[in-house]
Each structure stands twice: as C-alpha cells, then as structure tokens.
Amino acid sequence: MSGVRDGAADGFVNIIKVSLRNAVRRQWKFAVVVFVLGVGVVILTYAYDIAETLERIQAVGQQIESEGAEPSAEQVETMARGAGMFALFSLLNLAFGFGTTLFAFLMPGGMVADERRSGAIMLWAQHPMPLRSFYLQRYVGIQVATFAALAIFGLTAAVAALPAGMAPTTELGGVASICLTGALACAISFAITSLGIRRAALLGLLYYLLSGAVGSLLENPALATFPAVESARAVLQFVIFPAGVIRDLVAGFGSGAAWDWGATGLAFYHFVLWTGIACLGLHRLEKRPLKL
C-alpha cells in the first residue's frame, strides 16, 4: 500500500512539475515584457522623482490661479515638462499594472477547451487517473508558476517610489495585492476553459474590465443615497471581480491598521467559487470528453 501511495504522490508532483515548465515555456516572453515595464516604472520614479514633479505642477497651477494673470513662459515650460513626464509615467505604470493582470489570465490559456477541441483530451482520458484530478493537478502547477512571477512583479513595484495615493499603504500590501489579483485571474481563466469555452483569457479579461466599470459606478458618491444602489452593491460583491475587496484586505498589512476579516472572507469566497465552477466543468467533461 505504501508503494501505491508513494507512486501516486510521485505522479502528482511530476504532473505539477511538467505543467509548471510548460506554463513557463509558453509565457516567459510576455513575463519578461511585463518585468521590463516594471523596471521602467522604477527607473522613472527615481530618475525624475515623480512625486516631486506632481507637487511642482500643482504648485505652479495654484500660483497661476492666485495671480489671475497670463502665465509666464517659464511657468508654461514647467507645466508642460512636468505634465509630459507625468503622462509618460502614468502610461508606463498603467501598462505594467494591466500587464500583470493580463499575464495571469493568459497563463492557463485554453488548456482544457483547446485539448477538447483537438481531441488531445482523449489521450489523458485513457489514463487511470480521472480527468478532473489530472487537470486540477496541472492547474496547481500553472498557479505555482503564476504566483512566482506575480511575486517578482510585486517586488519590482514595491521598489518604485510612487507618489502618494498611487501606492498601497505598505510594500508588503502592494506585493499581496498583485499576487491576489493575479492568482484569482488565473483561477477565473482556468474555470472558463474547464467549461469547454475557448478564448478563456479574453472572456476573463472582459469580465474583469466590466467588473471594474460596475464597481466604479456603484462606488460613485452621487449614487450612494439611492437605496437600490446599496442593495445592488450588497449583491454584486458576490458576483463581480473583487478588486475593491482585495484593496480593503491588503490595507490590513499597514502598521496599526485593523484587519478586515469581512474582506478576507469575501476574497476567499471568490477563490472557492471559481474553483468550484472549474470542478463542475471538469466533472461534465469526464462524462463526455469530446464535443459531439
């Protein structure tokens, strides 16, 4: 019996290792691009002191407003130079942040749906291991590779000297935010492909963007007075991507900040939800691996 258990454990580890290597081989170029963007953000924040540049723009703007006269050539030059530099920084920072999330959605790829369409899934169906267990073990390997890359991205972002209001409370909170967001994005993409739906990364990304739009709308102070908005917020927090919940959760990493157990439970719920959807999809595929 011990030999059987050891063999099963070795098989589990081997599947994870192979899946991890395949994921790295497929997406390492994109990961390098995202990392370079992060390094660019770090270099820009230290080379030009973005926080000081932003303060200078605000000071010159307030000075022009208080004087009530035409701005001088020097003031116009200062505003234009600072605005250009801040626009470049914002664009680079946006590309880096979007790239980390897109990378996580791309990691599972169309693993299940594409193999079902091509018929390669029948190769795995011939093994004694159930298809559901096989794909879940492959998913674990992909998630390990994703989390490792996200941790590197997060540590890169933590080095940057971001202006106040554009960075989490602590460096640890920033790393945790990137890792949690990306890990959930990977889980969502895997759940979609497990349902046999192709282009899981694209659909997952659309869900993420739509969730952000809906979340911003519900958080609009102008709509806070409507009872229907509060009811919708209470329901939709269990449906849309929990970006705001993750922000509340990582705020607990700050010194003296109270830990938000409600946000922790809600973030855990979303991981369980998408893992459950993946299991249901794989269970259905076990009964009919090929799309007839």
Side-chain angles (χ1 to χ4, degrees):
M1 290 295 293
S2 62
V4 174
R5 286 195 297 269
D6 292 342
D10 290 341
F12 175 74
V13 173
N14 287 335
I15 291 175
I16 292 178
K17 286 182 178 179
V18 172
S19 179
L20 193 155
R21 285 198 299 267
N22 289 339
V24 171
R25 186 164 54 248
R26 285 188 298 104
Q27 298 297 342
W28 73 269
K29 292 181 180 179
F30 189 75
V32 170
V33 171
V34 175
F35 177 72
V36 170
L37 289 172
V39 171
V41 171
V42 173
I43 293 174
L44 203 59
T45 57
Y46 282 99
Y48 296 98
D49 196 344
I50 299 299
E52 183 180 345
T53 300
L54 183 59
E55 292 176 359
R56 190 183 305 117
I57 294 174
Q58 293 173 341
V60 173
Q62 291 173 357
Q63 182 181 359
I64 294 173
E65 185 178 355
S66 62
E67 291 176 353
E70 289 293 326
S72 64
E74 182 181 355
Q75 289 175 326
V76 171
E77 182 181 356
T78 301
M79 290 282 288
R81 189 187 308 114
M85 188 57 60
F86 190 73
L88 176 61
F89 161 75
S90 299
L91 182 62
L92 196 61
N93 192 44
L94 179 63
F96 173 63
F98 181 76
T100 59
T101 305
L102 179 59
F103 168 80
F105 277 116
L106 289 172
M107 281 297 280
M111 180 172 65
V112 182
D114 290 347
E115 291 181 359
R116 186 189 187 200
R117 180 182 177 84
S118 66
I121 193 172
M122 294 306 298
L123 296 175
W124 317 130
Q126 294 174 12
H127 289 278
M129 179 185 296
L131 273 176
R132 178 168 40 180
S133 300
F134 175 73
Y135 277 112
L136 285 175
Q137 290 178 30
R138 288 177 65 185
Y139 165 66
V140 171
I142 291 173
Q143 193 67 277
V144 169
T146 303
F147 196 84
L150 292 171
I152 295 174
F153 298 155
L155 291 172
T156 304
V159 176
L162 298 174
M166 296 189 68
T169 309
T170 64
E171 288 80 2
L172 181 58
V175 176
S177 177
I178 289 177
C179 289
L180 287 174
T181 301
L184 181 56
C186 180
I188 292 171
S189 186
F190 176 71
I192 295 174
T193 190
S194 296
L195 294 172
I197 302 173
R198 302 186 68 204
R199 293 175 176 78
L202 175 60
L203 292 177
L205 184 62
L206 289 176
Y207 163 74
Y208 173 78
L209 295 175
L210 181 61
S211 295
V214 172
S216 299
L217 182 64
L218 293 177
E219 292 175 3
N220 191 330
L223 301 177
T225 56
F226 294 94
V229 173
E230 187 63 32
S231 300
R233 185 185 294 116
V235 173
L236 288 176
Q237 66 178 344
F238 295 99
V239 179
I240 64 175
F241 192 95
V245 172
I246 292 176
R247 283 196 300 270
D248 294 339
L249 193 158
V250 300
F253 288 97
S255 57
W259 189 263
D260 193 334
W261 289 105
T264 304
L266 197 54
F268 181 74
Y269 155 80
H270 279 276
F271 277 100
V272 172
L273 170 67
W274 289 103
T275 302
I277 292 174
C279 289
L280 289 175
L282 293 174
H283 179 69
R284 183 175 65 88
L285 288 180
E286 280 184 336
K287 297 180 179 179
R288 197 176 66 177
L290 290 180
K291 186 176 182 180
L292 303 177

